[in-house]
Amino acid sequence: MFYYNNQSYYPGTNGKAVLFIHGITSGSAQGIPYAEYLNDYGYGVSLVNLAGHGTYPEDLLHTEATDFIYKAEFDYKQLKAMGYEKIFISGLSTGGLLSLVLAARHPEIAGIIPISAPMAMVPGNFISDEYPPDQVYYHRDPGGKTGVAKKYHVHYEDIAVKAFQSLRDLIDIVRNGDILPEVRCPACIIQAKDDNMAEPDSSVYINEHISSDDKMLCRPEIGGHNIILGEQRFAAFEKALEFLEQH
């Protein structure tokens, strides 16, 4: 594994690579267990940071939904330039939305694996909550995490409230624009039914509205929003690997 700009790259041996984009407020480390699992099977994996992440909390004050897209485009082109025969895009939550955007724009992409990608947010969580107009930051205590999540779910303690609106704007771009009908590549859509952040039926909506003929929908009963760092993570990893091996 190589490190660059707070991001990680695992060289592959089978000619296939996966670009993984993490969720909002987190960082590229969120994908390390997933990347190591796929890399053990020969896949190159690039773990990249969303725009405004992996730097300073203040950067999220100036980061728009379009910046997320531009950064994802840049990261895809960087990985593509490495000469892999096939490139897949995977992402968690916000990263899952960006996998759909990239697939719509780049028909040459071999397939996508959006995980917990929201078409709407569950009411009452810290992203969907309403904040006073003068509140700049939301304090997110890093305590309370256990196991793998404690090690890899790295995030700013003070998160710009504006970032939550940027995510909602990205949801609008994907859901209400022409993104989903333009997705025609193979797709493996993963979301746990007990997701408490993204509306749990988001995966069903995505499955029904993309134009892909080759698609699979994986909806485990449990796993939560951050399924790739929970107790059920290997079930998600195995489903992703099954999809990759078939394509």
Side-chain angles (χ1 to χ4, degrees):
M1 176 176 65
F2 303 115
Y3 294 96
Y4 60 100
N5 297 329
N6 294 322
Q7 303 180 161
S8 307
Y9 169 63
Y10 299 73
T13 58
N14 66 2
K16 301 178 182 180
V18 178
L19 175 69
F20 178 79
I21 308 171
H22 64 82
I24 197 168
T25 79
S26 189
S28 59
Q30 189 176 41
I32 288 176
Y34 183 40
E36 290 180 342
Y37 178 89
L38 296 179
N39 189 242
D40 284 344
Y41 289 88
Y43 292 87
V45 185
S46 180
L47 301 178
V48 298
N49 282 312
L50 286 169
H53 294 67
T55 51
Y56 302 97
E58 293 79 10
D59 284 345
L60 285 178
L61 293 171
H62 313 289
T63 303
E64 308 283 347
T66 51
D67 296 315
F68 294 153
I69 295 172
Y70 294 149
K71 175 62 163 54
E73 286 273 3
F74 173 82
D75 292 326
Y76 167 63
K77 290 173 183 176
Q78 289 285 101
L79 183 57
K80 186 178 180 182
M82 293 183 181
Y84 283 97
E85 296 170 17
K86 293 183 178 181
I87 294 179
F88 299 83
I89 314 296
S90 185
L92 179 75
S93 193
T94 305
L97 293 174
L98 291 169
S99 74
L100 294 162
V101 173
L102 290 176
R105 293 184 170 195
H106 299 278
E108 76 277 6
I109 286 173
I112 56 171
I113 310 173
I115 304 170
S116 305
M119 289 292 98
M121 301 302 296
V122 173
N125 61 55
F126 71 92
I127 290 179
S128 58
D129 276 347
E130 295 293 331
Y131 294 90
D134 60 346
Q135 183 171 342
V136 179
Y137 290 103
Y138 167 80
H139 183 75
R140 188 179 185 192
D141 192 333
K145 298 175 185 174
T146 60
V148 176
K150 184 175 183 179
K151 184 175 182 179
Y152 296 112
H153 191 192
V154 181
H155 59 74
Y156 299 139
E157 289 190 44
D158 293 303
I159 303 166
V161 171
K162 180 182 179 298
F164 306 149
Q165 182 58 52
S166 296
L167 171 55
R168 292 192 288 268
D169 291 344
L170 182 60
I171 292 172
D172 287 342
I173 290 171
V174 173
R175 179 165 186 157
N176 301 324
D178 60 356
I179 298 296
L180 296 178
E182 289 298 317
V183 176
R184 295 183 169 84
C185 68
C188 175
I189 305 157
I190 301 173
Q191 185 182 24
K193 292 181 181 179
D194 67 344
D195 193 331
N196 66 342
M197 297 294 290
E199 167 55 50
D201 286 335
S202 294
S203 55
V204 176
Y205 185 93
I206 293 169
N207 187 63
E208 291 176 348
H209 286 80
I210 62 176
S211 298
S212 307
D213 293 325
D214 181 354
K215 55 190 175 183
M216 62 170 64
L217 177 60
C218 176
R219 301 189 73 206
E221 294 294 328
I222 58 175
H225 184 63
N226 196 2
I227 190 171
I228 62 171
L229 290 182
E231 292 298 320
Q232 305 302 315
R233 64 187 180 278
F234 287 108
F237 295 174
E238 289 166 5
K239 183 58 66 175
L241 179 63
E242 176 189 341
F243 172 77
L244 292 170
E245 296 283 80
Q246 292 174 358
H247 298 89

